[in-house]
Amino acid sequence: MAVDRRKILLFGSAAALRFFLFSAFPLLPDLLTGRAEISTPVTSFKRCMPILNLAQYAELEIGHSLTLFAVQEGLFLYTHNVSPYDGGVFYQASTSVPHGLRDQADLQYQAPLFLPLFALIPSQLFSLVTALLYILADLLCAQSVIQLAESGVARSSRLFTSPRKHIKWDSVAVGAAYLFNPFTIATCLARPTSVFSNCAILYAIASAVNHRPAKSMLALALAAYLSLYPALLSPPLILLCYDESMVAKHPKPSITSSASKLSSFFIGSLSWFMIMSYLLTGESWEFLQSTYGVHLLLPDLTPNVGLWWYFFIEMFDPFRQFFLGVFWLHLLGYVGGLCIRLRKQPLFVLTTLVGLFAIFQPYPSISDASLYFAMLPLYSHIFPLMRYAFFAVATILYATLLGPAFYYLWIYAGSGNANFFYAITLVWSLGLSIIVGECLFAVLRDEWEIERPEMKGKDVRRI
């Protein structure tokens, strides 16, 4: 097997850059972890809590402060015979509760059998091992993106071949665009758990185009188990798996049988994760409310780059349930419409949904935007058709630079209010919306020029 030296150089330089930032600036990860743009209540690696909240569980002097990792917060409660899901701090899936403490106390909840990501890490090596773990996750994401670029499915699939398929980025360049994206690097340093959801999503899509539907559904089930919203990606991913199976298999499977098998496998895999969580938390279902209920009911209104938190702060309680339903139905409505209109390009449906989730999900962060930006270079052939690319990029840069300043003016300087930060998050969402809309226009224009080749290169106006 030939060794791609460019890929080795890319991965080596990206890993070296991240490791240098971790080691040369040891305070930088903790600084980024506390940023509202990167960490959310459901993905934060570390959350600060006053010791008063834990005084009843630990023999510590009130008056000091205690900083705990969100995973360690669950562990602290776990080792003191208290459910890690009591309170409003620990929102991780139950398999994130560390393992190996069954001999330390007479625990109310049995220790998990499924080894978590942070299990068995010695405290003195915790920072080093977690840094290496997140670097490895980024490299795995880049490998999945490179596989997608090498497959060429974005330009030519079973049902559609772009007339501009000759315009493409090299697969290594696509990987570099992900690995050296400042949003990706900042996310890696901040270590939110969304990195693992993104990794599972990209691996699921890469497995689909490489004719491995079972691995694809299993990876998507893991992503949905960690973050819930990736479950909405299952319809276009099933279509992508079916299209790839039609190319590779003989005899050809029917779409009904394929969809039912893949759906059953996805639901079965997700159910297996749920049952494991039920067993690992002492045969209790309370983790559902503390993990997925947070996404669905939005009890934590910590500021983030999304649109939900400020809206529901201002919302009167009698109307809260109604608008929660409206917001979720709005997000759900994109799935069916895009799958029907862009049936010929399921990979682009997945890309667009990832972009929409980065705007409209309850707890978005720049990690979700970095996932969308990772998939955009796969469609470099439609970039010439985009009309407002400069305006969109300028809007994103504007929000990126002013977002931290507005947050500082509100939270620390006290010279602003919540409107300062929410206004800049609206600008951020506007920039992402323009990019998503421009890509949709460009893909539809690309399809239309196949039907009307005489219109290629001519201006199009909406009447």
Side-chain angles (χ1 to χ4, degrees), residues 15 18 43 99 108 125 148 175 227 249 268 282 288 296 433 461:
R18 285 160 170 76
T43 63
H99 153 275
Q108 178 182 357
L125 298 177
L148 289 173
S227 300
K249 290 184 178 180
L288 293 174
L296 294 172
S433 301
R461 295 181 179 180

Side-chain angles (χ1 to χ4, degrees), residues 90-111:
F90 189 71
Y91 296 142
Q92 309 300 326
S94 59
T95 54
S96 298
V97 180
H99 153 275
L101 298 168
R102 56 170 62 95
D103 296 329
Q104 296 185 14
D106 183 16
L107 302 180
Q108 178 182 357
Y109 297 93
Q110 297 179 359

Side-chain angles (χ1 to χ4, degrees), residues 303-322:
N304 53 67
V305 297
L307 304 174
W308 292 45
W309 65 274
Y310 188 83
F311 184 87
F312 283 96
I313 284 177
E314 302 294 335
M315 178 59 57
F316 292 108
D317 288 341
F319 303 101
R320 179 181 174 85
Q321 301 303 322
F322 171 76

